[in-house]
Amino acid sequence: LAAGLWRFGGLPPATGATPPARAAFWLFVAALGASMLGSWTIAPLARAAGYSPSLISAMFLLRGVVTIALHAAYLGMLVRALNVSMRSVGAALPRWAPQAVAAFVGWKVLSIPAQSLLLMFQRGIINYPWMAISLAADVGFAVALVTLLRFAEPVLARQESPDPAG
């Protein structure tokens, strides 16, 4: 996805899609960084420093909120960039594209705090039904995003190719 977002930011400037596409790339990178930062570095450092479990939980909740906001921002910018680039050649995105972003954000708003609560009360024991639901939802959103990008691919290819009449 990161490579695709970076490539998408290289569309001809005349389309107007470059600024939102580049913003989508950097917001995506920031979302990954916030997600990984919380999971792999903050928790072990906070435990080693002797922070209370409630403070660690608050840090994870804050990480969840920041991650959700960054995901919403990058997906919103991606849909905006796709919409602008497709309108520049007279095409349109499917009506469900912005709704998919809203659904993804809604899912994350529900899932990240719920996952944090489950981890707090289960003391690290894996909850397989929750894991299956989370993976199924994430796969569903990934399929929607890939479908959206596949839908836009022919239009984007036309924008990248040199004008044969010029």
Side-chain angles (χ1 to χ4, degrees):
L1 182 57
L5 287 171
W6 182 257
R7 181 177 169 264
F8 184 51
L11 286 173
T15 64
T18 302
R22 286 285 183 227
F25 170 78
W26 290 112
L27 289 165
F28 172 77
V29 169
L32 285 180
S35 179
M36 289 180 196
L37 177 69
S39 301
W40 294 339
T41 56
I42 289 179
L45 291 175
R47 285 187 191 107
Y51 291 132
S52 70
S54 61
L55 180 59
I56 294 172
S57 296
M59 289 186 325
F60 271 102
L61 186 59
L62 178 61
R63 178 204 50 99
V65 169
V66 168
T67 301
I68 291 167
L70 290 169
H71 274 293
Y74 103 76
L75 288 171
M77 293 304 277
L78 176 61
V79 167
R80 180 175 171 210
L82 284 170
N83 198 26
V84 167
S85 66
M86 291 184 72
R87 273 190 282 140
S88 74
V89 294
L93 281 178
R95 289 181 148 200
W96 56 263
Q99 295 164 348
V101 172
F104 181 79
V105 171
W107 163 247
K108 289 299 182 183
V109 165
L110 293 174
S111 71
I112 290 177
Q115 183 179 8
S116 296
L117 286 172
L118 282 172
L119 289 174
M120 269 186 348
F121 292 115
Q122 292 182 342
R123 308 225 184 253
I125 298 170
I126 295 175
N127 184 322
Y128 291 107
W130 174 257
M131 190 169 71
I133 291 168
S134 294
L135 287 174
D138 286 343
V139 166
F141 288 116
V143 167
L145 183 58
V146 167
T147 301
L148 184 62
L149 292 173
R150 289 285 184 203
F151 179 77
E153 191 173 10
V155 175
L156 299 177
R158 281 189 289 172
Q159 289 175 346
E160 290 177 331
S161 64
D163 184 14

